[in-house]
């Protein structure tokens, strides 16, 4: 089969790494980078570290409002599908690149395969939730990371083409944990294991509201031992709201780090505070307590198993949870065993028969 894969944002590079490798053993892959993320530390670094093949096309779309960004991607991907005639278009997760890839393919009657199908936060104010729902409803193959995701699809009437594969982020994590342990990032930052908290913040609902962003930064500053690899969106909004200097004084703000450095920082953190989807899961798999600075999560198993707590953007709730939260249950392999990519390649192969 000829599979045209669309990626564009940091977590999609990580997800596509194991899948691309498995796919290329049996199929031809045309890799398309929309250019949604473009800074070296948000894009090229991951291709190098994870050995992802160089994209066949980079649409260079860059940043913009949802409509402008998604619209430009849609037009660019449509041209490529028309030119390449793939048997299937493969998309990942819930970004604007995901929706553009899925919509372009569906309108051209090319089957769509969605990795990370069925996730729901049930919060339609999140752009990601709109992207997930719409992508799932035009997908032919719905590759679900969890039982919950399969159930979510069933309750929306989607049962055909649904496969439980496990989570490809677990594949990536298990494959790279050992190499990550050799990273010098802790020494470089003067950190020792178990003595710092790791934070990430980038959700629009947190960064674009000055009150919420200020409360989060004040809470992280009050904890006193926080390292925060800062997403470019967050840096931009901190500067816009005049919050950057104080945050930089009270929190260890660093540039976004590569995947191996991130795994090393996560694994040795005392606690993780985040609004990232991927980081919540990684905290669970690595056995690090997670404080999620959101009201909802699509990775509900992490909360049910008591390794994650939702605290929103409230200053006191963040500080209290960071100081007091202790997981009480055993973790399981609810996100899979690290063989999701192989399963996905197999399911795609069956579609081609
Ligand atoms: C996007 C996804 C989000 C995902 C996140 C992963 C959507 C709607 N959102 O959010 O689901 O969790 O990626 O990180 O698709 N910027 C740079 N350099 C870059 C990339 C972005 O400076 O390389 C800045 C720009 O000012 C841009 C802003 O970050 O306007 C936001 O980027 P964008 O890709 O629109 O959304 P993210 O917040 O990154
Ligand atoms: N990540 C990284 N460097 C960083 C921050 C995050 O490599 O500085 C990784 C993280 O380990 C996870 C993924 O990026 O694998 C999560 O991406 P992000 O938080 O940007 O997006 P989300 O998962 O929320 O969509």
């Amino acid at each position: 089969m000829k599979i045209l894969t669309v990626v564009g944002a940091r977590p999609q590079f990580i997800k596509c790494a194991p899948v691309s490798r498995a796919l290329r053993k049996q199929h031809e892959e045309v890799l398309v980078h929309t250019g949604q993320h473009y800074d070296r530390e948000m894009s090229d670094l991951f291709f190098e570290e994870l050995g992802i093949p160089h994209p066949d096309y980079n649409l260079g779309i860059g940043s913009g409002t949802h409509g402008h960004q998604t619209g430009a991607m849609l037009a660019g991907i449509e041209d490529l599908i028309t030119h390449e005639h793939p048997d299937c278009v493969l998309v990942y997760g819930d970004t604007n690149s995901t929706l553009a890839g899925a919509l372009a393919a569906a309108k051209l009657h090319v089957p769509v395969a969605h990795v990370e199908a069925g996730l729901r936060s049930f919060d339609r104010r999140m752009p990601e939730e709109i992207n997930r729902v719409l992508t799932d409803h035009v997908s032919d193959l719905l590759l679900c990371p969890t039982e919950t995701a399969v159930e979510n699809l069933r309750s929306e009437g989607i049962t055909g083409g649904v496969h439980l594969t496990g989570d490809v982020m677990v594949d990536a994590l298990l494959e790279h944990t050992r190499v990550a342990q050799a990273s010098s990032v802790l020494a470089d930052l003067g950190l020792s294991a178990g003595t710092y908290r790791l934070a990430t913040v980038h959700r629009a609902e947190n960064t674009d509201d000055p009150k919420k962003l200020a409360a989060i930064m004040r809470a992280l500053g009050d904890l006193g031992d926080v390292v925060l690899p800062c997403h470019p969106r967050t840096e931009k909004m901190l500067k816009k709201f005049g919050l950057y200097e104080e945050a930089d004084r009270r929190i260890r703000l660093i540039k976004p780090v590569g995947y191996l450095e991130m795994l090393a920082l996560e694994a040795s953190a005392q606690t993780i505070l985040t609004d990232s989807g991927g980081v919540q899961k990684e905290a669970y798999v690595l056995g690090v307590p997670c404080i999620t600075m959101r009201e909802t999560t699509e990775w509900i198993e992490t909360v049910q198993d008591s390794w994650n707590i939702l605290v929103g953007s409230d200053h006191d709730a963040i500080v209290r949870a960071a100081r007091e939260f202790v997981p009480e249950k055993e973790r399981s392999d609810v996100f899979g065993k690290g063989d999701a990519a192989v399963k996905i390649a197999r399911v795609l192969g069956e579609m081609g028969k």
Side-chain angles (χ1 to χ4, degrees):
M1 281 178 79
K2 183 173 182 177
I3 296 160
L4 187 141
T5 297
V6 178
V7 292
R10 174 168 67 188
Q12 293 168 331
F13 309 140
I14 296 162
K15 289 166 199 173
C16 93
V19 179
S20 184
R21 197 166 333 110
L23 279 185
R24 284 172 191 239
K25 291 192 178 141
Q26 308 164 40
H27 308 286
E28 180 191 351
E29 184 181 43
V30 177
L31 187 59
V32 179
H33 186 329
T34 62
Q36 177 169 353
H37 285 176
Y38 44 85
D39 290 347
R40 179 177 153 67
E41 62 269 18
M42 295 297 288
S43 177
D44 287 1
L45 184 53
F46 294 89
F47 284 78
E48 290 161 19
E49 269 192 343
L50 297 169
I52 305 164
H54 193 72
D56 297 284
Y57 299 95
N58 189 325
L59 296 173
I61 304 296
S63 307
T65 62
H66 287 280
H68 279 278
Q69 190 183 53
T70 314
M73 290 174 187
L74 191 54
I77 297 166
E78 183 179 72
D79 286 348
L80 289 181
I81 296 174
T82 308
H83 176 68
E84 289 283 349
H85 296 292
D87 298 303
C88 170
V89 168
L90 180 63
V91 296
Y92 291 86
D94 54 18
T95 73
N96 288 346
S97 298
T98 316
L99 178 61
L103 204 49
K107 290 283 183 81
L108 291 169
H109 311 298
V110 176
V112 179
H114 183 203
V115 175
E116 233 179 57
L119 273 291
R120 296 291 180 266
S121 66
F122 303 102
D123 178 1
R124 290 278 174 107
R125 288 168 308 168
M126 289 179 72
E128 292 84 0
E129 185 76 353
I130 312 266
N131 291 341
R132 288 179 198 125
V133 171
L134 295 177
T135 299
D136 284 341
H137 281 261
V138 294
S139 290
D140 299 271
L141 275 187
L142 299 109
L143 305 158
C144 296
T146 59
E147 289 275 8
T148 309
V150 173
E151 196 46 52
N152 288 339
L153 292 175
R154 189 174 303 137
S155 65
E156 290 175 23
I158 303 175
T159 50
V162 176
H163 299 264
L164 177 61
T165 60
D167 195 315
V168 293
M169 287 191 98
V170 175
D171 296 25
L173 186 151
L174 295 181
E175 190 184 331
H176 292 95
T177 304
R178 212 160 46 85
V179 185
Q181 277 166 1
S183 161
S184 63
V185 65
L186 264 73
D188 295 346
L189 292 170
L191 299 169
S192 40
T195 63
Y196 64 92
R197 299 171 208 270
L198 178 69
T200 77
V201 183
H202 76 276
R203 290 278 153 209
E205 73 223 44
N206 285 332
T207 59
D208 295 10
D209 178 332
K211 283 206 189 90
K212 285 189 178 179
L213 189 58
I216 288 172
M217 291 299 150
R218 204 157 48 80
L220 298 181
D222 286 349
L223 289 170
D225 53 4
V226 172
V227 178
L228 193 160
C230 195
H231 192 288
R233 173 186 206 107
T234 312
E235 182 178 335
K236 184 174 87 174
M237 299 315 274
L238 284 171
K239 287 181 174 159
K240 181 176 168 186
F241 299 141
L243 297 168
Y244 187 83
E245 277 179 22
E246 192 184 347
D248 194 31
R249 197 163 38 76
R250 304 186 72 220
I251 302 164
R252 188 85 182 266
L253 291 187
I254 58 174
K255 276 197 162 301
V257 294
Y259 182 59
L260 299 176
E261 293 186 327
M262 188 65 182
L263 286 185
L265 285 170
E266 287 175 340
S268 292
Q270 184 204 97
T271 324
I272 291 175
L273 297 107
T274 193
D275 60 8
S276 159
V279 175
Q280 289 176 64
K281 269 182 295 179
E282 287 165 351
Y284 180 89
V285 176
L286 292 167
V288 181
C290 186
I291 317 293
T292 294
M293 299 179 288
R294 288 176 45 190
E295 307 287 345
T296 58
T297 181
E298 50 288 348
W299 302 106
I300 191 67
E301 298 83 356
T302 60
V303 176
Q304 287 164 347
D305 285 355
S306 88
W307 280 82
N308 187 9
I309 181 169
L310 300 175
V311 294
S313 54
D314 181 70
H315 168 275
D316 294 354
I318 295 169
V319 172
R320 198 177 325 112
R323 292 197 174 131
E324 295 173 7
F325 176 61
V326 183
E328 285 162 358
K329 294 190 198 162
E330 293 290 310
R331 289 172 295 126
S332 72
D333 58 7
V334 65
F335 298 114
K337 295 187 167 72
D339 55 0
V342 171
K343 287 183 180 159
I344 287 168
R346 199 181 307 136
V347 170
L348 279 161
E350 280 159 18
M351 183 173 79
K353 282 179 190 160

